[in-house]
Amino acid sequence: MSFRFCLDLSVEQERVLSRHVGAARFAFNQTLRLHHNARAIAGPGTSRVPWTGIDLINAFNRWKRSADAGRRFLVGTDRTARVEATGLVWRDQVSAQVFEEGAVDLGRALKAWNESRTGARTGPRVGFPRFKKKNPTGGSFRIRNKPHGGRAGIRVGDGDRRRSVSLPKIGTLRVREDTRRLRRMIATGRARILSVTVSRGANRWWISITVEAADLHPAHRHTTCAVHSLERRGADQDIMPTMPSAQVGQGWVGVDRGLHALVVAGELDGTEVLRVDNPRTFRRGLPRLRRLSKVVSRKKKGSKNRREVVVRLARQHARIRNRRRHVLHQVSNQLVKNHARLVLEDLNITGMTANPRLSSAISDAAWGELARQISYKQRWRAGKVMIADRWFPSSKTCSSCGALRKVLTLKERTFECGHCGHVMDRDLNAAVNLAAWAENHTPTVEDGAGRGVARAGDRQAAGPVVNAYRQDTPTRCDAQRHNGKDLDDVGTDRQTRPRPDGWTPEKGGVRPAIGLVEHAVVCK
């Protein structure tokens, strides 16, 4: 885990940190240049091309002491000149770990590119590393925690300055926030500092302290033993036990993410436990963004006035990002603290952002970031998070009778069932259906092999399919252009495959519809 603090620096300290940021960028670019040169002359009898972080560090260390990094001409009294290799003359002004971590970052980037190229890495394609450029409002460097003289190289609250962080070769830096929680964890042995990352923002400096910490206290985890102990303690002391409500009720809670309401959480019985309106931070800050962008475009490139306005524009972007992040952390904390079992919906966010009318609002809502925060925070508290199937029609299904509506537009905010007459808020109805889906997909008994068996009569007893494979035979009339495979088919023929009942634009149905139209045009 990491602790992030805002630094309170002097002018001299800002210069020192800026020098370290530039050194990290220089090390990354130089190791990338050495890698390019080694690949260009690679052949029999030549030295190996550095790919890993260790090889890149060794290559950079050899280069920084050579004449290629720096040299000077010396003329003797007899008027004879000779060349002396000085190496990188300013390398002693920064910490040597900054150079090493820059080479390690390049090694990770090369590994990611190679794995993505060979197919060993899933997800979007990773490109080849590129040279970094100077950025007056960005950049960072990393330092590992190495002991020096029996003391830790990185110390928090050293001496009588509690709100401070001490770094090797840099000194003591003041921070604005209180460091008491981190200092107590380190003093009691519940945390150990691994490294720090100093980053530059819009007129602010931040430090992230990465620590190896123990698990949360049992009183803060969703465990049955902690509930019983707290109940016994409350009964013995004749007081009410102070414990989260999630440790009392262990039912599934569905979390529906939307644009009108950012989050609506509901239980299986239809009780709404949380509703958070969408703050729309980007829309609120858009007028100032437009005004500052116009001012930047009017300034002359390379001028001092342009640099000042660029900083103001970056501060506005940072303000919008911080407001959004603050709301997401508040919502995720409230969900994981009060509920032990949550179920989210698998949304095709990439497909939904293809809609030009909703792409800005969907990006502003940050559904993916909210799901990421809920996932790792629930793991901290030993809770459970289940992901519902993408094609499960949570919004179109009646939570009372289970009837399915064929058409449900985005502007209809109230769900009305034509079969039983049930009327409920659209988002709450989806949240209740998600809770029911998780209840039906929860293993209730175990077979002889120790595997969980879901409730009887469930078509998707094992949950969403995770071992689906693409077919190897052509299914489209233009399959020769795709090497005999259809990139959108999963073992079925597009011409005869029916559209899922849960197909809806709010789950990313734009891309499948475009694919059907393209297929019809090509086959025609």
Side-chain angles (χ1 to χ4, degrees), residues 229-258:
S229 63
L230 287 174
E231 288 177 351
R232 289 195 299 268
R233 186 183 65 180
D236 297 340
Q237 300 178 2
D238 195 19
I239 58 174
M240 292 297 295
T242 58
M243 57 183 176
S245 60
Q247 296 179 348
V248 179
Q250 298 291 330
W252 285 100
V253 174
V255 180
D256 181 75
R257 293 165 290 174

Side-chain angles (χ1 to χ4, degrees), residues 40 79 112 147-148 174 244 254 273 281 288 315 412 420 448-449 469 486 509:
R79 297 185 179 182
H148 294 278
R174 295 180 57 184
V273 296
T281 56
R288 181 174 176 84
R315 291 181 61 183
E412 297 183 44
C420 66
Y469 59 91
D486 186 0

Side-chain angles (χ1 to χ4, degrees), residues 44-69:
T46 59
S47 59
R48 56 179 297 183
V49 178
W51 283 90
T52 63
I54 299 298
D55 295 339
L56 292 170
I57 290 176
N58 295 333
F60 182 81
N61 289 338
R62 289 191 300 267
W63 173 86
K64 71 179 183 181
R65 298 185 182 92
S66 64
D68 296 335

